[in-house]
């Protein structure tokens, strides 16, 4: 196959894939979740299989253990989180009003000597901004809660996801072998090399980042509860679990906890402790968790991940966010591969048939 025909073939395949995602995005969530779960659990199943169990027995052991632990955690946390979320949603308007009152007093001190007309314009703009911020926050929380409840009550997700995960996990090695047998023979080694790099990137990021999120969520939740912050368990879990979005998780948790802390404690040592918890969490994440569990070798820059997540969520909703990181990893690996080919070509060296320095 000529390079032109090959490029046309893969572009058409990509177009068909995107079209299918658009057409089927409303029903893809349990299948994508099952696929992600199977990919995440495959190394554990491989280790169990290596100890003498059949692949089917290893699959049963892994999937059942995971879902028993998940359901137990859900049964334990859901009632507490439901109470905290209801209380938090009811208290947020009071928190905003308290912060607004304090900010207004501070602004009055600063603007005593300014032009009254300018001060009036600034106050009007601040009031509008406050209303918009409060409305956006409440809408976001209500939407998040409705989405969370809908997901938890959606039988399709709870039933289809374990079934998809079980079958994919059982047949994972067989599917990989079948895909490998269908690769173009003249480019098989090159494609295998890129797939290995994509797998290393995905495994390093997804599995590592999942552990980072779980550790941060648990650490923030426990620390905020011990610090005496109301709704600290909920705020800590939210901050930790959305830490897979670079910068956003820590910023959301810090702003929300400081607002609640100020409303509860005022300017006090307790508020400083709340701030110190998030500063310590970021130091631990940046200097220990991320380097050890994720590592720099994955080659996925935080800005690239943020762009991919926002783009995927905007285009395909929650399913797009699940698919964003794999697509980002694939694009990143292919871009690096293309750059390597360019640096080894005469286009870079300027010498026909010559080899460029490595």
């Amino acid at each position: 196959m000529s390079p032109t025909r090959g490029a046309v073939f893969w572009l058409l395949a990509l177009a068909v894939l995107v079209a299918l995602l658009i057409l089927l995005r409303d029903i893809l969530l349990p299948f994508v979740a099952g696929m992600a779960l199977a990919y995440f659990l495959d190394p554990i199943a491989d280790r169990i299989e290596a100890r003498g169990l059949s692949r089917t027995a290893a699959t049963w052991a892994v999937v059942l253990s995971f879902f028993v632990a998940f359901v137990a955690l859900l049964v334990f946390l859901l009632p507490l989180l439901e109470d905290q979320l209801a209380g938090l949603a009811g208290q947020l308007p009071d928190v905003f009003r308290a912060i607004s009152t304090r900010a207004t007093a501070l602004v009055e001190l600063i603007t005593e000597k300014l032009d009254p007309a300018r001060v009036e314009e600034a106050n009007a703009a601040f009031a509008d901004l406050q209303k918009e911020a409060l409305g956006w926050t409440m809408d976001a929380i209500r939407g998040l809660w409705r989405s969370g409840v809908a997901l938890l009550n959606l039988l399709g997700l709870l039933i289809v996801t374990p079934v998809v995960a079980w079958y994919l996990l059982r047949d994972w090695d067989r599917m990989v072998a079948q895909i490998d047998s269908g690769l173009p023979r003249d480019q098989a080694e090159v494609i295998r090399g890129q797939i290995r790099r994509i797998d290393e990137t995905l495994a390093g990021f997804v599995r590592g980042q999942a552990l980072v999120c779980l550790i941060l969520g648990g650490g923030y939740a426990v620390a905020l509860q011990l610090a005496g912050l109301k709704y600290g368990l909920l705020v800590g879990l939210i901050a930790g679990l959305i830490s897979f979005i670079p910068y956003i998780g820590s910023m959301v948790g810090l702003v929300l906890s400081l607002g609640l802390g100020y409303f509860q404690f005022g300017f006090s040592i307790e508020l400083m402790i709340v701030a110190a918890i998030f500063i310590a969490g970021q130091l631990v994440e940046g200097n220990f968790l991320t380097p050890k569990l994720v590592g720099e070798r994955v080659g996925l820059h935080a800005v690239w991940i943020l762009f991919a997540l926002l783009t995927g969520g905007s285009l395909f909703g929650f399913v797009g966010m699940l698919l964003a990181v794999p697509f980002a990893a694939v694009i990143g690996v292919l871009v690096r591969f293309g750059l390597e080919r360019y640096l080894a070509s005469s286009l870079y060296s300027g010498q026909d048939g010559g080899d460029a320095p490595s």
Side-chain angles (χ1 to χ4, degrees):
M1 181 183 292
S2 66
T4 302
R5 291 179 61 190
V8 170
F9 172 80
W10 290 114
L11 287 175
L12 287 176
L14 179 61
V16 171
L17 176 61
V18 173
L20 288 175
L21 288 177
I22 295 174
L23 292 173
L24 303 176
R25 59 183 175 182
D26 292 334
I27 64 169
L28 280 179
L29 178 57
F31 297 94
V32 174
M35 187 181 301
L37 185 60
Y39 178 78
F40 186 82
L41 297 176
D42 179 62
I44 302 175
D46 288 341
R47 293 191 185 96
I48 295 176
E49 187 181 10
R51 295 185 177 181
L53 269 72
S54 67
R55 183 67 183 190
T56 301
T59 300
W60 274 115
V62 172
V63 173
L64 286 178
S65 299
F66 177 85
F67 277 97
V68 166
F70 175 78
V71 171
L73 184 63
L74 200 63
V75 169
F76 174 74
L77 286 179
L78 189 58
L80 182 59
L81 291 180
E82 185 176 4
D83 293 339
Q84 290 212 355
L85 187 55
L88 178 61
Q91 193 172 9
L92 271 182
D94 297 331
V95 173
F96 272 98
R97 279 192 290 270
I99 295 175
S100 174
T101 301
R102 181 67 183 179
T104 301
L106 185 61
V107 169
E108 288 176 355
L109 291 175
I110 297 174
T111 58
E112 282 180 351
K113 298 182 179 181
L114 296 179
D115 183 6
R118 298 289 186 183
V119 173
E120 186 176 350
E121 292 177 3
N123 287 336
F126 180 75
D128 292 340
L129 181 62
Q130 175 190 344
K131 291 179 181 177
E132 291 181 7
L134 178 58
W136 180 87
T137 303
M138 296 303 298
D139 289 342
I141 290 177
R142 283 193 293 265
L144 180 63
W145 178 239
R146 284 195 300 266
S147 298
V149 172
L151 288 177
L152 292 175
N153 293 331
L154 186 59
L155 291 179
L157 185 66
L158 295 179
I159 295 175
V160 175
T161 297
V163 174
V164 172
W166 189 88
Y167 277 107
L168 289 179
L169 192 59
R170 187 196 64 176
D171 299 331
W172 193 271
D173 295 336
R174 190 185 311 166
M175 291 187 301
V176 170
Q178 189 169 0
I179 293 172
D180 182 79
S181 66
L183 296 177
R185 294 298 93 189
D186 57 339
Q187 298 293 329
E189 285 302 320
V190 175
I191 296 174
R192 289 189 192 109
Q194 299 313 304
I195 290 177
R196 282 193 293 269
R197 294 174 67 175
I198 291 171
D199 179 63
E200 291 174 359
T201 301
L202 272 180
F205 182 84
V206 175
R207 293 170 184 147
Q209 194 63 44
L211 290 174
V212 171
C213 290
L214 291 175
I215 293 172
L216 284 178
Y220 284 145
V222 172
L224 291 175
Q225 282 289 103
L226 292 177
L229 181 69
K230 286 184 179 180
Y231 318 116
L233 177 65
L234 178 63
V235 173
L237 289 177
I238 291 174
L241 295 180
I242 63 174
S243 292
F244 71 94
I245 307 177
Y247 315 120
I248 302 297
S250 58
M251 289 301 299
V252 168
L254 179 62
V255 171
L256 187 56
S257 62
L258 286 181
L260 291 171
Y262 172 73
F263 181 77
Q264 181 180 347
F265 306 122
F267 284 110
S268 62
I269 186 63
E270 288 85 357
L271 186 64
M272 297 300 103
I273 291 174
V274 170
I277 288 172
F278 279 92
I279 294 173
Q282 288 305 293
L283 290 175
V284 171
E285 178 191 3
N287 294 291
F288 178 75
L289 292 179
T290 298
K292 295 293 184 182
L293 299 178
V294 180
E296 298 296 331
R297 63 183 177 83
V298 300
L300 293 178
H301 195 276
V303 175
W304 176 233
I305 293 296
L306 182 60
F307 174 79
L309 288 168
L310 293 178
T311 302
S314 175
L315 293 177
F316 303 107
F318 188 69
V319 173
M321 295 187 71
L322 288 178
L323 294 173
V325 172
F327 272 101
V330 171
I331 293 173
V333 169
L334 294 181
V335 167
R336 286 192 292 272
F337 174 70
L339 183 59
E340 291 170 1
R341 286 298 181 96
Y342 164 71
L343 293 176
S345 70
S346 60
L347 291 174
Y348 174 76
S349 66
Q351 303 172 2
D352 291 338
D355 292 331
S358 59

